[in-house]
Amino acid sequence: MNEDIPQLPSYDESSLDAAFATLAEEVRGETSSHVDAEAFRLRWLGRKQGRLKLISDAWLKSSPAEARKPLGMRFNQLKQQIEVALADAIAAPATSALKAGIDITLPGSVRAPGIEHPLLKTMHEVVAVFHHLGYSTALGPQVESDFYNFEALNFPPNHPARDTQDTLVLAGQQAKASRDRLLMRTHTSPVQIRTMIAEAPPIRIVVPGKVHRNDAADATHSPVFHQVEGLCVDTNITFSDLKGTLDHAMKALFGSGVKTRFFPSFFPFTEPSADVQISCIFCAGKGCRKCKHSGWIELLGCGMVDPAVFASVDEQRVAQGKEAAYDPAKVTGFAFGMGVERIAMILHGVSEIGQFYSGDMRFLEQFA
């Protein structure tokens, strides 16, 4: 049969049988020897130029009404024959490999995954800095109780500090006590509380993860973002230890020439508290548009763990039958937290936070 599909001489049974028998023979002839399964599929089942499509256009569409039923039956039989032949062609290499003594049931070679998302890559880089300082990683749930997210961290009910972490509360919680109501965590600090309740000091952990706040999305804010927080609790931990730790971490992330400075701030769970700034990596502290011509970029918050937090932890430990282990007269600690998006934007010069979530491959491929 020619590549161009000829018109049928007539639509009687014998003519149809002869025409479709020729096509079936052609299918068998192509698959009797080794054939490229994909080429065979495209030749016969291609959506635009496949022979089955051309046959349909040439014979079915122009046929008289009385011939369409017998034509359709034979057309479907031919299609089934082609699909069976295609399946045999696909299976043939595996059968040959089995005959050659290759065990095709063994796992295949591992394919390398694609590149890390820039936020995930940045998070891993931050965590790695603290791993080198002896910190371990701790993880926790994104759905938390009010106790772990707020109360244990010295955010009593109706405290104005809660307004800065307006959160998303799960529906149907009204019947529960305030501390038991479930919400989407606004920071990864609840994991610090869980860790202290579960373990006695010394503790050195970093807590990476996703957090949620009821914030309007703009160039620098998102209702869903990522944090890396840290906690160090031991005897004789001082603010100098905190400063030295963060100064080392900032130099590891942004270069040895970067400087840090600390400004008094307020967080309910630390006392004293501080905001940390780094010298602008774009202008080396001289002042530019990126740092609003101040020479400094605000990056994270930190402070010494408030004794009230230790008291909440010990209260829960005793309630669970454990020994109180966080007497502020014996142990001290510091905590810090930084936004992963903020660090990624500075490291890569990204001005719009929404680009990280857009899924635009043109943007993401720049980080390959």
Side-chain angles (χ1 to χ4, degrees), residues 3-14:
E3 191 68 17
D4 295 329
I5 308 299
Q7 292 295 327
L8 286 170
S10 66
Y11 292 93
D12 59 80
E13 294 285 337
S14 60

Side-chain angles (χ1 to χ4, degrees), residues 36-289:
D36 185 329
E38 180 62 13
F40 177 81
R41 184 190 69 80
L42 291 174
R43 171 172 164 76
W44 284 96
L45 301 175
R47 294 176 58 187
K48 294 184 177 180
Q49 295 298 319
R51 291 181 63 73
L52 210 59
K53 172 70 166 54
L54 297 177
I55 293 168
S56 174
D57 293 342
W59 293 359
L60 285 173
K61 293 184 178 180
S62 60
S63 64
E66 64 274 9
R68 288 179 182 172
K69 182 176 180 180
L71 255 175
M73 292 174 59
R74 289 167 174 80
F75 184 84
N76 288 333
Q77 290 173 356
L78 177 64
K79 184 177 180 182
Q80 291 174 3
Q81 291 172 345
I82 294 171
E83 290 173 346
V84 169
L86 176 61
D88 290 343
I90 293 173
T95 303
S96 299
L98 189 59
K99 290 178 180 179
I102 299 174
D103 186 357
I104 62 172
T105 64
L106 292 174
S109 57
V110 178
R111 292 186 178 182
I115 63 167
E116 286 183 318
H117 189 280
L119 292 182
L120 187 62
K121 184 174 183 290
T122 302
M123 184 184 294
H124 288 167
E125 290 174 353
V126 174
V127 169
V129 169
F130 291 97
H131 281 179
H132 293 154
L133 294 174
Y135 286 67
S136 58
T137 299
L139 302 174
Q142 293 184 45
V143 178
E144 272 291 4
S145 69
D146 185 279
F147 171 78
Y148 285 105
N149 195 79
F150 288 124
E151 190 174 330
L153 288 158
N154 205 28
F155 287 86
N158 301 318
H159 193 283
R162 290 194 179 209
D163 293 342
T164 62
Q165 295 196 19
D166 190 13
T167 189
L168 305 171
V169 181
L170 272 65
Q173 303 288 304
Q174 292 81 357
K176 294 183 179 180
S178 176
R179 60 162 39 191
D180 297 327
R181 294 179 184 176
L182 300 179
L183 45 81
M184 303 304 293
R185 68 181 181 186
T186 58
H187 44 187
T188 58
S189 302
V191 182
Q192 299 181 25
I193 300 297
R194 290 180 176 275
T195 302
M196 287 191 285
I197 292 174
E199 303 174 17
I203 288 176
R204 287 173 177 81
I205 58 169
V206 281
V207 189
K210 185 182 295 183
V211 298
H212 309 255
R213 296 186 187 179
N214 188 18
D215 288 342
D218 58 27
T220 57
H221 294 85
S222 169
V224 180
F225 57 102
H226 301 78
Q227 279 187 335
V228 174
E229 294 192 4
L231 173 69
C232 174
V233 181
D234 204 342
T235 56
N236 300 319
I237 298 295
T238 68
F239 201 92
S240 295
D241 298 315
L242 170 60
K243 292 182 67 176
T245 299
L246 293 182
D247 185 69
H248 170 82
M250 296 304 103
K251 284 178 167 58
L253 288 170
F254 298 103
S256 59
V258 75
K259 298 178 181 179
T260 58
R261 67 179 185 179
F262 293 68
F263 280 87
S265 185
F266 169 77
F267 304 106
F269 37 86
T270 54
E271 178 59 36
S273 304
D275 286 326
V276 181
Q277 295 182 347
I278 62 169
S279 55
C280 181
I281 64 172
F282 303 103
C283 64
K286 297 178 181 178
C288 65
R289 184 177 62 85

